[in-house]
Amino acid sequence: MRPLTEAETRTVFEKLGRYIGENIQLLVDRPDGTYCFRLHRDRVYYLSEKLLKVAASVPRESLTALGTCFGKFTKTQKFRLSVTALDFLAPYAKFKVWVKPGSEQSFLYGNHVLKSGLGRITENTAQYQGVVVYSMADIPLGFGVAAKSTQECRKVDPMAIVVFHQADVGEYVRNEDTLM
Amino acid sequence: MVAVRVEEVLAAAEEQEAEKRRSVVVEKELELEFDLGNLLALDRNPPPAAQLRGVGPQREAQLLALARDNTQLLVAQLWELPAERAGGAGGPLVARLPEPTFRLPREKPPPRPKPPTRWEQFARLKGIRRRKRTSLVWDEQAKEWRRRWGYRRAGGDPARAWLAEVPAGADPEEDQFARLRREKRERVARNELNRLRNLARAHRAGAAVPAVPLHPTGHQSKEELSHVARVARVSTASLGRFQPRLPKEPAEPPSRSGGRKRRFEPLLGNLAAERSRQLELLKDMGSKKPVLDITRAVNKQLRQEEAEAAAAKGKKQSQRGKRGRRQ
């Protein structure tokens, strides 16, 4: 377990910034305590200082996970955000997509969101912008990347993909073994 | 009994005091030679004959007295040097030593010379001497002076070697260009092998052969030169600790592992400092975003056009409706 280096921090912040923009500083600088990022076995964890002090006394081989896992670094040092970060992305998301009740299940199974399943989308969403996907009842379901900008979403045919799937809460059941 | 003891004690104390005050002044026949830069005092006075014979406590005492006298003279010389207080008014008095003049002998034996290579032996046998080559060669085709090797060398343009003749006794099916490339590769490999063999031979013979040559060869890369500069800086008596930096040399913190191991921040280090560093990083990343976002501008334009089109359509429909009603 170690703190992130400068380059790694930059990679992680860039990835997070695609979804929550400048609200990252609300994650870094919190009024209710000191929270930090730590790297353990290529996974990035977000945890409070109190928890960090306790976790520091666990031997490295026995430590499985600590705090919230935000994602992991792949072999070529690219950062992949995982669904376990959703709790921290959802409240600070800048661009949101609401999915109709009919195609919620399709998204939760890992499919992309089609135009026919699109309920609402934030105005001014650019193409390939990171978005957080909600159900119509404002429950965060996961996150993805907007395949079309808001303007284009209005014009495309119903079978076109509007949001590429990246992570959804169904992964807790589907990828139970590999999530942590 | 007690009185005798007391007398003895007093006498001893008196003698000690007298000895202390005895020789700040030392008498010598010949003056000593001093090299204060090395804290050296050379005594050329011939020792008394009694000292040269045998070992024993007497001799020890005489040698001790001699050493004490000479040290007294050296210290007296040191006190005459220009001195200053180091570190302000209350600091210790520090003397400024002059440059050392006495040449100290070698610590280690001098390096053995390298054994001659096979070519050097042959050249010595045949009497072949090294001819200095010019750096520029006349290129007939380009009609100008070009380098012998390197960028834009004479005859090195690959577009010029478009033809490779099949030599008299060779296989007509063979690819001549491939053969030329292969032969060049083999020559380079043989050259490298011989160079390494020479190095190994020199090493085995006990010559001081550094892995990277420390003298300028003219073929050194930037990394090799910086390595050599680093070695030169560390090759002083205090291992480079008091060596001033060259004008453009960057200040290097000494890495204990010699540049091999990655070092990370401590796990529970200063969390407030870490947080401020991350906020700085965020500010830095945020400032780099372009002010004009092209896609946003394009979308805005599209929306404007759509709104205008919708407004025009609405006007036309209302106009048509009015006309219809009139008819």
Side-chain angles (χ1 to χ4, degrees):
Chain A
M1 180 175 24
R2 61 168 174 87
L4 300 172
T5 62
E6 174 86 23
E8 287 166 353
T9 322
R10 193 177 280 268
T11 319
V12 170
F13 283 179
E14 270 170 20
K15 200 57 186 279
L16 284 175
R18 296 189 64 187
Y19 293 91
I20 60 180
E22 62 271 1
N23 292 335
I24 304 180
Q25 56 193 20
L26 293 167
L27 277 182
V28 171
D29 194 11
R30 277 167 74 143
D32 59 336
T34 319
Y35 280 69
C36 57
F37 291 93
R38 287 291 180 268
L39 187 79
H40 176 60
R41 288 202 199 139
D42 287 333
R43 284 180 200 267
V44 174
Y45 296 97
Y46 178 70
L47 63 163
S48 65
E49 176 192 355
K50 201 165 30 91
L51 191 59
L52 175 64
K53 291 206 168 110
V54 172
S57 58
V58 177
R60 206 178 292 173
E61 305 82 36
S62 326
L63 187 64
T64 311
L66 53 161
T68 315
C69 174
F70 262 33
K72 66 181 213 173
F73 276 101
T74 64
K75 218 171 251 179
T76 53
Q77 297 307 312
K78 294 191 177 47
F79 182 63
R80 179 168 276 273
L81 209 54
S82 77
V83 68
T84 42
L86 187 61
D87 287 333
F88 292 95
L89 293 187
Y92 301 119
K94 299 205 82 163
F95 296 99
K96 307 180 185 182
V97 166
W98 286 262
V99 159
K100 288 191 189 140
S103 65
E104 255 175 43
Q105 192 164 37
S106 164
F107 181 72
L108 288 176
Y109 271 116
N111 302 316
H112 303 301
V113 177
L114 307 179
K115 168 78 192 295
S116 53
L118 183 67
R120 285 182 3 227
I121 182 166
T122 320
E123 197 63 50
N124 295 336
T125 313
Q127 196 179 21
Y128 309 131
Q129 172 71 44
V131 295
V132 176
V133 175
Y134 291 82
S135 73
M136 285 320 265
D138 274 337
I139 300 173
L141 295 178
F143 48 86
V145 173
K148 304 259 187 288
S149 66
T150 317
Q151 290 297 98
E152 294 170 17
C153 275
R154 295 204 182 107
K155 297 187 202 147
V156 291
D157 58 300
M159 281 293 116
I161 299 175
V162 293
V163 175
F164 293 125
H165 167 281
Q166 294 237 298
D168 63 275
V169 293
E171 278 178 20
Y172 282 110
V173 176
R174 293 198 319 268
N175 300 345
E176 205 179 321
D177 310 328
T178 58
L179 207 52
M180 275 315 213
Chain B
M1 198 67 159
V2 176
V4 170
R5 282 265 187 82
V6 166
E7 267 176 22
E8 277 179 13
V9 164
L10 281 174
E14 225 181 89
E15 204 184 303
Q16 272 184 9
E17 285 238 25
E19 203 174 307
K20 255 193 238 169
R21 276 191 235 115
R22 188 182 10 188
S23 339
V24 185
V25 175
V26 175
E27 290 291 327
K28 287 273 180 183
E29 283 176 12
L30 280 172
E31 283 294 321
L32 267 59
E33 291 170 16
F34 294 102
D35 179 16
L36 293 173
N38 278 323
L39 294 182
L40 177 70
L42 281 170
D43 185 3
R44 293 196 191 277
N45 292 302
Q51 273 184 8
L52 298 173
R53 256 180 266 139
V55 274
Q58 225 181 20
R59 187 157 182 260
E60 286 301 316
Q62 281 171 350
L63 286 174
L64 192 63
L66 181 65
R68 196 214 75 85
D69 289 340
N70 287 340
T71 316
Q72 179 66 61
L73 287 170
L74 178 63
V75 170
Q77 284 287 314
L78 285 177
W79 272 103
E80 286 172 16
L81 285 174
E84 59 190 10
R85 292 241 165 234
L93 196 63
V94 172
R96 206 172 302 136
L97 296 175
E99 287 291 316
T101 51
F102 189 82
R103 190 154 169 206
L104 294 167
R106 287 186 75 93
E107 183 197 340
K108 296 197 166 63
R112 268 182 277 176
K114 282 196 294 191
T117 62
R118 278 177 59 110
W119 165 253
E120 280 174 2
Q121 291 170 8
F122 178 77
R124 202 184 310 149
L125 200 63
K126 289 279 183 173
I128 302 171
R129 255 182 294 161
R130 182 157 176 73
R131 236 178 297 161
K132 192 158 166 82
R133 288 174 149 192
T134 60
S135 54
L136 295 175
V137 196
W138 178 251
D139 190 355
E140 194 53 54
Q141 257 194 323
K143 299 275 189 305
E144 61 172 3
W145 288 97
R146 286 250 178 103
R147 286 161 225 248
R148 188 181 287 276
W149 50 267
Y151 181 60
R152 286 213 195 123
R153 57 178 169 276
D157 189 8
R160 254 200 248 173
W162 56 273
L163 180 72
E165 282 185 15
V166 179
D171 177 21
E173 303 285 321
E174 192 191 5
D175 183 359
Q176 294 305 315
F177 294 108
R179 179 183 64 86
L180 288 170
R181 278 200 303 271
R182 188 184 65 238
E183 284 184 352
K184 174 153 178 115
R185 234 181 298 139
E186 282 169 9
R187 278 201 304 274
V188 168
R190 196 179 326 128
N191 203 351
E192 184 66 22
L193 179 67
N194 284 332
R195 181 182 79 88
L196 292 172
R197 260 204 223 137
N198 287 336
L199 261 179
R201 202 176 293 125
H203 197 284
R204 243 181 299 134
V209 177
V212 184
L214 294 176
H215 60 89
T217 62
H219 305 300
Q220 281 160 313
S221 67
K222 191 168 133 187
E223 287 82 26
E224 286 177 12
L225 286 173
S226 65
H227 168 75
V228 168
R230 219 178 306 137
V231 169
R233 135 182 296 279
V234 175
S235 317
T236 60
S238 8
L239 300 182
R241 269 179 68 194
F242 306 108
Q243 203 71 10
R245 291 251 155 212
L246 294 172
K248 286 202 185 152
E249 211 178 344
E252 236 180 61
S255 59
R256 269 182 33 211
S257 54
R260 273 188 298 261
K261 201 160 178 178
R262 270 184 87 178
R263 290 214 154 170
F264 300 112
E265 298 288 314
L267 178 61
L268 280 168
N270 191 355
L271 284 176
E274 188 184 327
R275 186 166 54 186
S276 61
R277 236 183 304 133
Q278 284 177 346
L279 287 172
E280 282 288 321
L281 178 67
L282 281 173
K283 212 188 320 167
D284 185 47
M285 279 168 51
S287 67
K288 286 227 187 95
K289 290 219 171 75
V291 181
L292 175 63
D293 196 358
I294 306 286
T295 43
R296 284 197 61 177
V298 164
N299 283 345
K300 204 168 184 180
Q301 184 71 15
L302 282 172
R303 234 179 314 138
Q304 231 177 356
E305 289 173 4
E306 268 183 21
E308 286 171 10
K313 205 157 65 161
K315 235 200 290 178
K316 248 193 260 172
Q317 275 189 349
S318 63
Q319 277 182 359
R320 222 179 285 139
K322 278 198 195 137
R323 253 187 264 139
R325 256 187 260 130
R326 242 193 260 150
Q327 280 178 359

